[in-house]
Amino acid sequence: MAKHGTNSEDYAGPLKRLLLAVLLLCLVGLFIFWRIDSPRVERFRAQIVDAVIPGFDWAMAPVTGAVGILRDFQSYQRIYHQNQELRRELRQMTAWKEAALQLEQENARLRDLNNVRLDPRLTYITGVVLADSGSPFRQSALINVGSRDGIVDGWATMDGIGLVGRISGVGPNTSRVILLTDATSRIPAIIQPSGQRALVTGDNSAAPPIDFLEDADQVRPGDRIVTSGDGEVFPPGLLIGQVAEDPGGRLRVRLAADYERLEFLRVLRDHGARRVSAPSALILPEIAPGSDSAGVAEQPDG
């Protein structure tokens, strides 16, 4: 058994070397044959290629598949880069769209300011809202027109649609506007079409309540509310809003002015109305000459 195994190993080594030499010789011969530049050899090579290559389609299938995968990957890369570029352009277009919408809204408000129909005797000046008080106890705004523009305490201010408030405090270049929603605001109003008179009272909420209504049964939600002109504080006929009813059944005002987007305010120059000399004159009634109030006021001196 050991002798048989030794003979096999003795024959295996020379046989491997012989096969390797024959393979190398064949490859060298094939290389030389393929490099021979002769028409006869060229025709012979063409016949060999025509006879052998069609039978090797199965061997070329992996190579063809790999080439296809590589091309698909390159195509996917191109599509990915195009998609990223389109995403960037879409973000830019979205930003431009938001800017365009803001400009459109601002232009619409400016057009409303220019086209709103008021009493022809009233002139106006438009100011830009600079700041808001932001306080839950005081509802006011600051605009960039003041005494140098002829602004007077007590004049009404409007946005493009409805009444916003009144001037209360004038500086050389700025003015303070007390909004209708402020707790100190009291606006005499008329409810149309019933003609009922009432008082719109601010309570620091977005919908001021309606007080001192003559006959609540004649008022319906959706009725129009305008200034009455009583007390000569505001010109008559300025739109305030519409009647609304809260869950508790109390009548309130759905304001026509857009308080969330106060950017421009129109100050109405009411030259026919009396000028307010003190903020209290907007709330307290005037004291008639010769009344007992003067005597009461002089009692401490006595």
Side-chain angles (χ1 to χ4, degrees):
M1 294 291 292
K3 185 177 180 180
H4 180 71
T6 302
N7 292 335
S8 298
E9 292 177 0
D10 292 340
Y11 287 110
L15 184 59
K16 290 179 181 179
R17 287 192 290 272
L18 178 61
L19 291 176
L20 182 59
V22 172
L23 180 60
L24 290 175
L25 184 61
C26 292
L27 291 175
V28 172
L30 182 61
F31 177 75
I32 294 173
F33 173 74
W34 214 260
R35 298 292 296 179
I36 294 175
D37 189 9
S38 173
R40 184 176 297 179
V41 176
E42 183 65 28
R43 287 194 298 271
F44 182 68
R45 283 199 299 263
Q47 293 177 358
I48 293 175
V49 170
D50 293 339
V52 174
I53 293 302
F56 279 87
D57 289 342
W58 59 271
M60 297 299 294
V63 178
T64 305
V67 172
I69 292 174
L70 180 61
R71 290 177 178 173
D72 292 341
F73 180 74
Q74 292 176 346
S75 177
Y76 172 77
Q77 281 186 324
R78 289 193 296 270
I79 293 174
Y80 175 77
H81 292 309
Q82 292 175 358
N83 189 19
Q84 294 298 318
E85 184 65 25
L86 289 175
R87 286 178 180 272
R88 285 192 293 268
E89 292 180 359
L90 181 60
R91 286 193 294 267
Q92 294 177 356
M93 293 298 294
T94 302
W96 281 109
K97 178 182 178 182
E98 293 296 331
L101 289 176
Q102 293 177 3
L103 289 175
E104 181 181 2
Q105 293 170 358
E106 182 176 341
N107 289 335
R109 286 191 291 273
L110 289 174
R111 286 195 299 269
D112 289 336
L113 286 172
N114 290 328
N115 295 332
V116 64
R117 298 188 180 278
L118 302 173
D119 190 336
R121 295 173 297 177
L122 297 176
T123 59
Y124 60 87
I125 180 172
T126 301
V128 178
V129 177
L130 300 177
D132 196 326
S133 65
S135 171
F137 305 104
R138 186 172 179 83
Q139 303 289 324
S140 64
L142 194 68
I143 58 177
N144 68 340
V145 289
S147 58
R148 63 180 175 82
D149 304 295
I151 302 300
V152 176
D153 264 332
W155 280 356
T157 59
M158 302 183 67
D159 70 350
I161 302 176
L163 185 66
V164 172
R166 59 177 171 82
I167 299 293
S168 178
V170 181
N173 301 313
T174 58
S175 301
R176 176 70 63 179
V177 178
I178 298 299
L179 306 182
L180 298 184
T181 55
D182 188 80
T184 62
S185 175
R186 303 290 186 273
I187 309 299
I190 293 180
I191 301 176
Q192 298 172 345
S194 62
Q196 296 294 309
R197 295 182 179 271
L199 201 65
V200 178
T201 306
D203 62 350
N204 293 330
S205 67
I210 301 174
D211 293 331
F212 304 105
L213 188 61
E214 295 177 347
D215 188 359
D217 295 335
Q218 299 186 28
V219 177
R220 298 290 183 270
D223 287 352
R224 179 185 173 94
I225 305 177
V226 298
T227 56
S228 64
D230 294 338
E232 297 183 354
V233 177
F234 289 108
L238 302 181
L239 177 62
I240 299 177
Q242 292 181 330
V243 176
E245 188 175 356
D246 63 12
R250 187 176 185 181
L251 295 179
R252 292 182 175 269
V253 180
R254 184 183 295 110
L255 297 174
D258 188 0
Y259 279 71
E260 298 296 329
R261 297 178 179 178
L262 290 181
E263 296 184 12
F264 304 95
L265 291 182
R266 169 182 286 180
V267 183
L268 303 182
R269 296 191 181 102
D270 186 13
H271 299 290
R274 62 177 175 85
R275 293 192 176 187
V276 178
S277 58
S280 61
L282 292 174
I283 303 174
L284 300 179
E286 295 183 352
I287 299 175
S291 63
D292 294 338
S293 300
V296 173
E298 294 177 356
Q299 286 179 2
D301 295 336

